[in-house]
Structures are given as structure tokens and as C-alpha cells.
Amino acid sequence: MTTLTTRAAELARVRKDAVGCRRCDLYRNATQTVFGEGRASAAVMLVGEQPGDVEDAEGRPFVGPAGLLLREILGEVGLDERRLYVTNVVKHFKWRPKGVRRIHDKPNWSEIRACDHWLRLELAIVRPGLLVCLGATAAQALLGREARVTRLRGRLLEPDGLDARVVVTIHPSAVLRAGERRKELRAQLATDFSFAREALEA
Ligand code: SF4
């Protein structure tokens, strides 16, 4: 049986391997690989789309504005961060220039498929019982290209080919971009995380 120490060591080795990844072109314009973080034996894995501007600079996932919102909501619903592993489908920041700013650019399917290599290794090592897909890119990467957040929210899924149950919700950055609907989308995200916590405790 694999010990926790071995799993942590495997994760550290894979993280190191990903530093020099050239499986797609996204490394060219990004600062660094942003690998997942958290417990090697986490009960829950949160999967987002890709690192943002702040994450690219700091080399850590979910440390920008969306990550702050995420942590706020995790605290509200009582999901202990020590039980989590957080990562992204794509490990390099894809962006386009807008003036002096770097604007998020959605990864395409071939980039998602290329980076799936790392996500599957994270899944195989951490072996979470519950996966939370944050947004459409994560849902499609893990459940298939036809997956839609609006159709899958509020359900506890047990998909073939994944040794974990899955909950789908919106990405916290969608809340930040929601304008007048911000309060409504924030409430949706909190509801979905309450549902995930209940699924974990059940
Ligand atoms: S996005 Fe993923 S597959 Fe592409 S270079 Fe970066 S780590 Fe490798």
C-alpha cells in the first residue's frame, strides 16, 4: 500500500517534471508552470481552468482575486482547506494583451488535452473521493466535451472512468465578472459548495 509520504514524494516529483513541460505552446508566453497544491491525500480536489495573471507571477494556483473569493466561500460553508487539493486543467497562463494588461484567453481543446497528462497524474496520486469542477473547462476536461455547467449543477455525479464522485459549479471568476448578477452568482457558488461539503460528509 502506498504510504502518504510516498504519495507526497510522487507529487513532488511530478510537479518538478511539469516545470519543463513543452507538451503544448502555452509555456512560451507564460512565466512558469503553475502546478496544483494541497494535501497528497486530500479528500476533495478542486479543479479550475488555468492560472490567471497573479498565479502566473507567483507560481501558485488560486492566489488571485478568484482564489480569495473561493477561500471566503470555503470558510462560509465549512470546507476545511486542509482537506483540499486545488489545481487547474491547464498549468500555464494563456493570455492576450489589452493595452498594458494581460487578459485571460480561454485554452483550446488541444491545449486542454495536452495538459490532461498532468491532471491525470495528480488524480492518480491524490485519489480524491470528491472532485469539484469549477466552470465549463474543468467539467468538459473531466466529463466530456458536451458537459454543461447549467445542466450539471446541483447533482452528485459518478462518471465512468473516474474513481471519484463529481460536483460541477461555476468558476469563481464568473462571479467577479457578473456585474449586476454578482450577488446571485455568488450565492450559487456558495450553494454548490454547501452541496459538495454535504456529499463529502454523507
Ligand atoms: S499548458 Fe500544460 S501541456 Fe501545455 S506546456 Fe503548460 S504544462 Fe505543458
Side-chain angles (χ1 to χ4, degrees):
M1 189 171 167
T2 315
T3 66
L4 181 54
T5 314
T6 309
R7 283 161 74 176
E10 280 180 27
L11 206 50
R13 180 184 55 76
V14 171
R15 179 183 288 112
K16 200 171 163 195
D17 288 348
V19 168
C21 181
R22 303 289 184 265
R23 296 175 75 92
C24 76
D25 282 340
L26 292 186
Y27 74 92
R28 293 179 185 279
N29 293 324
T31 307
Q32 57 194 314
T33 306
V34 180
F35 206 72
E37 272 189 11
R39 289 179 74 91
S41 59
V44 188
M45 186 181 286
L46 310 186
V47 184
E49 183 191 78
Q50 63 164 353
D53 185 65
V54 179
E55 286 84 1
D56 175 69
E58 294 196 16
R60 300 183 58 206
F62 288 97
V63 290
L68 288 177
L69 174 62
L70 180 66
R71 282 182 179 78
E72 208 176 275
I73 288 175
L74 291 173
E76 284 169 18
V77 304
L79 247 178
D80 188 342
E81 269 192 65
R82 288 171 296 185
R83 302 181 77 184
L84 305 180
Y85 182 91
V86 291
T87 192
N88 286 297
V89 168
V90 166
K91 311 293 196 239
H92 276 108
F93 179 34
K94 184 176 181 182
W95 59 277
R96 57 190 164 81
K98 187 174 181 188
V100 293
R101 295 173 59 212
R102 302 189 302 171
I103 302 295
H104 165 273
D105 198 7
K106 194 175 166 58
N108 64 37
W109 190 245
S110 84
E111 290 155 351
I112 290 167
R113 296 310 305 154
C115 217
D116 191 59
H117 171 78
W118 301 112
L119 181 59
R120 299 290 162 172
L121 285 171
E122 290 174 298
L123 283 169
I125 296 168
V126 178
R127 302 200 299 265
L130 185 70
L131 276 165
V132 180
C133 297
L134 300 170
T137 299
Q140 288 165 7
L142 287 163
L143 302 172
R145 223 170 161 178
E146 305 308 313
R148 295 289 175 272
V149 175
T150 43
R151 279 210 300 265
L152 297 174
R153 274 192 64 232
R155 292 166 55 188
L156 186 59
L157 308 166
E158 298 189 22
D160 292 340
L162 277 178
D163 201 16
R165 295 175 300 163
V166 178
V167 169
V168 172
T169 187
I170 56 176
H171 195 284
S173 64
V175 177
L176 301 178
R177 290 194 306 266
E180 288 179 358
R181 293 186 63 213
R182 184 168 173 152
K183 200 171 164 187
E184 179 196 339
L185 266 62
R186 190 190 190 286
Q188 277 184 21
L189 189 58
T191 299
D192 292 344
F193 268 108
S194 287
F195 178 68
R197 184 183 51 73
E198 283 163 19
L200 186 64
E201 308 305 341

PDB file of all heavy atoms in Angstrom, residues 21 23-24 26-27 90-92 114-115 118, ligand 1:
ATOM      1  N   CYS A  21       7.673  21.401 -18.874  1.00  0.00           N
ATOM      2  CA  CYS A  21       6.754  20.832 -19.870  1.00  0.00           C
ATOM      3  C   CYS A  21       6.696  21.675 -21.150  1.00  0.00           C
ATOM      4  O   CYS A  21       6.616  22.903 -21.110  1.00  0.00           O
ATOM      5  CB  CYS A  21       5.353  20.701 -19.276  1.00  0.00           C
ATOM      6  SG  CYS A  21       4.178  19.976 -20.443  1.00  0.00           S
ATOM      7  N   ARG A  23       4.575  20.266 -23.779  1.00  0.00           N
ATOM      8  CA  ARG A  23       3.586  19.434 -24.489  1.00  0.00           C
ATOM      9  C   ARG A  23       2.664  20.258 -25.373  1.00  0.00           C
ATOM     10  O   ARG A  23       1.995  19.718 -26.251  1.00  0.00           O
ATOM     11  CB  ARG A  23       2.757  18.623 -23.487  1.00  0.00           C
ATOM     12  CG  ARG A  23       3.570  17.619 -22.696  1.00  0.00           C
ATOM     13  CD  ARG A  23       2.725  16.936 -21.626  1.00  0.00           C
ATOM     14  NE  ARG A  23       1.829  15.950 -22.200  1.00  0.00           N
ATOM     15  CZ  ARG A  23       2.123  14.663 -22.353  1.00  0.00           C
ATOM     16  NH1 ARG A  23       3.284  14.214 -21.952  1.00  0.00           N
ATOM     17  NH2 ARG A  23       1.271  13.844 -22.900  1.00  0.00           N
ATOM     18  N   CYS A  24       2.537  21.557 -25.086  1.00  0.00           N
ATOM     19  CA  CYS A  24       1.816  22.461 -25.994  1.00  0.00           C
ATOM     20  C   CYS A  24       2.559  23.797 -25.982  1.00  0.00           C
ATOM     21  O   CYS A  24       3.570  23.946 -25.289  1.00  0.00           O
ATOM     22  CB  CYS A  24       0.339  22.608 -25.599  1.00  0.00           C
ATOM     23  SG  CYS A  24       0.052  23.681 -24.173  1.00  0.00           S
ATOM     24  N   LEU A  26       1.707  26.717 -24.782  1.00  0.00           N
ATOM     25  CA  LEU A  26       1.358  27.738 -23.787  1.00  0.00           C
ATOM     26  C   LEU A  26       2.522  28.145 -22.884  1.00  0.00           C
ATOM     27  O   LEU A  26       2.503  29.222 -22.296  1.00  0.00           O
ATOM     28  CB  LEU A  26       0.162  27.269 -22.944  1.00  0.00           C
ATOM     29  CG  LEU A  26      -1.163  27.169 -23.703  1.00  0.00           C
ATOM     30  CD1 LEU A  26      -2.311  26.839 -22.751  1.00  0.00           C
ATOM     31  CD2 LEU A  26      -1.488  28.464 -24.443  1.00  0.00           C
ATOM     32  N   TYR A  27       3.534  27.316 -22.778  1.00  0.00           N
ATOM     33  CA  TYR A  27       4.693  27.678 -21.946  1.00  0.00           C
ATOM     34  C   TYR A  27       5.431  28.899 -22.519  1.00  0.00           C
ATOM     35  O   TYR A  27       6.103  29.625 -21.792  1.00  0.00           O
ATOM     36  CB  TYR A  27       5.660  26.487 -21.820  1.00  0.00           C
ATOM     37  CG  TYR A  27       6.456  26.233 -23.073  1.00  0.00           C
ATOM     38  CD1 TYR A  27       7.712  26.824 -23.268  1.00  0.00           C
ATOM     39  CD2 TYR A  27       5.946  25.438 -24.095  1.00  0.00           C
ATOM     40  CE1 TYR A  27       8.438  26.608 -24.435  1.00  0.00           C
ATOM     41  CE2 TYR A  27       6.657  25.223 -25.257  1.00  0.00           C
ATOM     42  CZ  TYR A  27       7.902  25.800 -25.420  1.00  0.00           C
ATOM     43  OH  TYR A  27       8.601  25.606 -26.569  1.00  0.00           O
ATOM     44  N   VAL A  90      -5.341  23.335 -17.054  1.00  0.00           N
ATOM     45  CA  VAL A  90      -4.188  23.789 -17.839  1.00  0.00           C
ATOM     46  C   VAL A  90      -3.221  24.504 -16.891  1.00  0.00           C
ATOM     47  O   VAL A  90      -3.649  25.323 -16.076  1.00  0.00           O
ATOM     48  CB  VAL A  90      -4.665  24.711 -18.989  1.00  0.00           C
ATOM     49  CG1 VAL A  90      -3.524  25.482 -19.608  1.00  0.00           C
ATOM     50  CG2 VAL A  90      -5.385  23.887 -20.043  1.00  0.00           C
ATOM     51  N   LYS A  91      -1.943  24.182 -17.007  1.00  0.00           N
ATOM     52  CA  LYS A  91      -0.984  24.643 -15.996  1.00  0.00           C
ATOM     53  C   LYS A  91      -0.187  25.895 -16.388  1.00  0.00           C
ATOM     54  O   LYS A  91       0.642  26.362 -15.608  1.00  0.00           O
ATOM     55  CB  LYS A  91       0.016  23.523 -15.656  1.00  0.00           C
ATOM     56  CG  LYS A  91      -0.605  22.165 -15.353  1.00  0.00           C
ATOM     57  CD  LYS A  91      -1.422  22.156 -14.078  1.00  0.00           C
ATOM     58  CE  LYS A  91      -1.699  20.750 -13.577  1.00  0.00           C
ATOM     59  NZ  LYS A  91      -3.129  20.428 -13.454  1.00  0.00           N
ATOM     60  N   HIS A  92      -0.393  26.387 -17.585  1.00  0.00           N
ATOM     61  CA  HIS A  92       0.238  27.657 -17.965  1.00  0.00           C
ATOM     62  C   HIS A  92      -0.836  28.704 -18.281  1.00  0.00           C
ATOM     63  O   HIS A  92      -1.898  28.368 -18.805  1.00  0.00           O
ATOM     64  CB  HIS A  92       1.156  27.496 -19.184  1.00  0.00           C
ATOM     65  CG  HIS A  92       2.544  27.021 -18.851  1.00  0.00           C
ATOM     66  ND1 HIS A  92       2.989  25.753 -19.149  1.00  0.00           N
ATOM     67  CD2 HIS A  92       3.583  27.657 -18.250  1.00  0.00           C
ATOM     68  CE1 HIS A  92       4.240  25.619 -18.733  1.00  0.00           C
ATOM     69  NE2 HIS A  92       4.630  26.751 -18.194  1.00  0.00           N
ATOM     70  N   ALA A 114      -3.597  18.247 -24.122  1.00  0.00           N
ATOM     71  CA  ALA A 114      -2.151  18.118 -23.851  1.00  0.00           C
ATOM     72  C   ALA A 114      -1.889  18.150 -22.350  1.00  0.00           C
ATOM     73  O   ALA A 114      -1.104  17.357 -21.816  1.00  0.00           O
ATOM     74  CB  ALA A 114      -1.389  19.244 -24.555  1.00  0.00           C
ATOM     75  N   CYS A 115      -2.554  19.044 -21.655  1.00  0.00           N
ATOM     76  CA  CYS A 115      -2.288  19.220 -20.227  1.00  0.00           C
ATOM     77  C   CYS A 115      -3.009  18.188 -19.364  1.00  0.00           C
ATOM     78  O   CYS A 115      -2.712  18.065 -18.169  1.00  0.00           O
ATOM     79  CB  CYS A 115      -2.659  20.640 -19.807  1.00  0.00           C
ATOM     80  SG  CYS A 115      -1.525  21.305 -18.577  1.00  0.00           S
ATOM     81  N   TRP A 118      -0.993  15.938 -16.978  1.00  0.00           N
ATOM     82  CA  TRP A 118      -0.626  16.316 -15.598  1.00  0.00           C
ATOM     83  C   TRP A 118      -1.804  16.162 -14.645  1.00  0.00           C
ATOM     84  O   TRP A 118      -1.643  15.727 -13.503  1.00  0.00           O
ATOM     85  CB  TRP A 118      -0.093  17.757 -15.571  1.00  0.00           C
ATOM     86  CG  TRP A 118       1.107  17.923 -16.460  1.00  0.00           C
ATOM     87  CD1 TRP A 118       1.186  18.646 -17.617  1.00  0.00           C
ATOM     88  CD2 TRP A 118       2.402  17.311 -16.293  1.00  0.00           C
ATOM     89  NE1 TRP A 118       2.434  18.529 -18.181  1.00  0.00           N
ATOM     90  CE2 TRP A 118       3.200  17.719 -17.385  1.00  0.00           C
ATOM     91  CE3 TRP A 118       2.953  16.461 -15.345  1.00  0.00           C
ATOM     92  CZ2 TRP A 118       4.527  17.304 -17.530  1.00  0.00           C
ATOM     93  CZ3 TRP A 118       4.272  16.050 -15.485  1.00  0.00           C
ATOM     94  CH2 TRP A 118       5.039  16.473 -16.569  1.00  0.00           C
TER      95      TRP A 118
HETATM   96  S1  SF4 B   1      -0.180  24.151 -20.602  1.00  0.00           S
HETATM   97 FE1  SF4 B   1       0.186  22.106 -19.753  1.00  0.00          FE
HETATM   98  S2  SF4 B   1       0.689  20.825 -21.530  1.00  0.00           S
HETATM   99 FE2  SF4 B   1       0.912  22.970 -22.187  1.00  0.00          FE
HETATM  100  S3  SF4 B   1       3.096  23.403 -21.821  1.00  0.00           S
HETATM  101 FE3  SF4 B   1       1.962  24.035 -19.994  1.00  0.00          FE
HETATM  102  S4  SF4 B   1       2.088  22.303 -18.583  1.00  0.00           S
HETATM  103 FE4  SF4 B   1       2.611  21.558 -20.625  1.00  0.00          FE
END
